[in-house]
Amino acid sequence: MSAAALDTVRLDAQPFDARFVGGPVFRMTTTDAADAGRIRSALATLDKAVKLVSARVPAGASALRAALEACGFVAIERLVTFERTLESLPGALPEGVRPARPGDETACAAIGRTAFRFDRYHADARLDPAIGDALKEAWVLNDLAGRAETCLVAVEADEVVGFNLCLLAGEVATIDLIAVATGRQGRGIGSRLTEAGARHYAGRARAYRAGTQATNAPSMALYRRLGFRAVAEAVTYHWMPGDTGSNR
Ligand SMILES: CC(C)(COP(=O)(O)OP(=O)(O)OC[C@H]1O[C@@H](n2cnc3c(N)ncnc32)[C@H](O)[C@@H]1OP(=O)(O)O)[C@@H](O)C(=O)NCCC(=O)NCCS
């Protein structure tokens, strides 16, 4: 890669994603100075076996987005980041929500495998949905095994029917994964799980964040109703071999 390309375009291998996609996966990060020429130079350095390159850029970065599209990157999702300021007084967890415990993995994995439909792996029609199913299942299990700082589950008649798996960085708690079993959605369980996270982190974190796809109407409705406000929007792109774009 040329020095100029290196300054403005970085490619990082994503071994976790590669396991499911079945070949090398990279994430591209760029500075504002990246242009189509530099992006093409970076792509040209990749091994021929590469399967997928993703890039996530602010929705308002129009020059950068045009450069990515000129190189064949396809816009897959619009990601909205929501934030809510947390009250300082912790409250008890809502009824029907408790911390996850050993033995919850099987139920949570099944929900993870079947509930997510709006994420970029499921939203990219060129990818087999089984890739997104397996990736989400493994992600849930990783969170339960310690990646998440706090794991909360919703329980109905002793059955785990949903989870809220959160990360904590400094004073910011973030919902990493939240889902409700497909047959149980739309009955307030997701709201209870979200509220449970707020109560859990009150007094420990200043802010509570969540990201969701603009097309995910249920979660957009849920965060807005629970007092979150949208603070950022980004677009995620995918590039696969054969995506050549224009010759600009
Ligand atoms: C997002 C999710 C966790 C919400 O859980 P839930 O138990 O269904 O949530 P609730 O019942 O508390 O609230 C859902 C809200 O979405 C609304 N909703 C449901 N389906 C909808 C639809 N098709 N269009 C618009 N709004 C919809 C409901 O009306 C409700 O809003 P309201 O109370 O203001 O009316 C759940 O839908 C889910 O598991 N989705 C799949 C996983 C996922 O996408 N997770 C989010 C990733 S960021």
Side-chain angles (χ1 to χ4, degrees), residues 63-93:
L64 182 52
R65 289 181 57 189
L68 287 164
E69 286 164 19
C71 296
F73 278 83
V74 178
I76 301 295
E77 65 174 10
R78 181 175 278 253
L79 203 62
V80 182
T81 302
F82 282 97
E83 185 173 303
R84 168 175 156 182
T85 305
L86 288 176
E87 313 75 32
S88 57
L89 287 179
L93 291 181

Side-chain angles (χ1 to χ4, degrees), residues 115-116 178-180 185-191 211-212 216-219 221-222 225:
F116 294 95
I178 184 167
V180 171
Q185 293 171 6
R187 291 173 22 208
I189 298 170
S191 301
T212 196
N216 192 341
S219 64
L222 185 155
R225 181 165 42 74

Side-chain angles (χ1 to χ4, degrees), residues 201-235:
Y201 281 112
R204 291 178 62 207
R206 178 188 50 78
Y208 188 32
R209 275 190 202 148
T212 196
Q213 295 77 21
T215 50
N216 192 341
S219 64
M220 292 287 289
L222 185 155
Y223 295 131
R224 285 186 176 133
R225 181 165 42 74
L226 294 183
F228 288 77
R229 62 189 179 90
V231 293
E233 281 197 30
V235 177

